[in-house]
């Protein structure tokens, strides 16, 4: 498996209102060598994104205080180079289209296998890295 970034570990923000999901994602990602920060609301997640520079955010579509799409827009406005993966159990073609329009890397339907998540994370981070070298 490729290094998250050259030398430095990629920082990933996970925002999911189900603590068990956020914790599971944190374990999967940390086991793969990433630095992970978690939040259970859109607002607290965005605050975390403002506190530290993130490389990637994994955001649940349905959060108690705001839409994952609104978090996506806010994160991309603050960190234009950051990549965002939307996760949802309530996906639709309209959601996919709107997420892409707002700059999401992809929409990953729940439930998903950890291998699928890690493949998307790696691809998103590679895209971020290659956009700097071009």
């Amino acid at each position: 498996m490729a290094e998250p970034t050259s030398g430095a570990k990629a920082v990933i923000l996970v925002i999911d209102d189900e603590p068990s999901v956020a914790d599971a994602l944190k374990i999967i990602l940390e086991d793969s060598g990433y630095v992970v920060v978690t939040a259970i609301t859109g607002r607290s997640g965005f605050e975390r994104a403002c506190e530290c520079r993130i490389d990637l955010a994994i955001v649940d579509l349905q959060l108690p205080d705001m839409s994952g799409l609104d978090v996506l827009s806010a994160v991309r406005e603050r960190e234009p180079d950051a990549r965002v993966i939307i996760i949802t159990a309530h996906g639709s073609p309209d959601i996919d289209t709107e997420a892409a329009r707002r700059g999401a890397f992809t929409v990953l339907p729940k439930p998903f296998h950890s291998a699928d998540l890690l493949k998307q994370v790696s691809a998103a981070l590679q895209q971020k890295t290659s956009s700097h070298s071009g």
Side-chain angles (χ1 to χ4, degrees), residues 68-128:
L69 294 174
D70 292 336
V71 176
L72 159 65
S73 296
V75 166
R76 293 280 294 167
E77 189 173 309
R78 169 133 177 73
E79 286 280 351
D81 286 343
R83 297 298 180 251
V84 179
I85 295 173
I86 298 290
I87 56 175
T88 183
H90 309 282
S92 72
D94 289 345
I95 296 294
D96 293 353
T97 300
E98 183 61 17
R101 189 184 73 72
R102 294 190 191 201
F105 178 76
T106 193
V107 176
L108 194 58
K110 289 180 180 180
F112 47 79
H113 293 286
S114 57
D116 294 333
L117 172 71
L118 292 172
K119 188 168 93 174
Q120 293 297 333
V121 165
S122 178
L125 292 171
Q126 283 183 336
Q127 183 192 67
K128 179 183 187 294

Side-chain angles (χ1 to χ4, degrees), residues 38-59:
T38 61
I40 58 170
T41 66
R43 190 168 315 294
S44 64
F46 183 68
E47 287 170 4
R48 295 249 163 88
C50 292
E51 292 165 5
C52 62
R53 202 180 79 47
I54 62 165
D55 297 296
L56 173 70
I58 299 173
V59 182

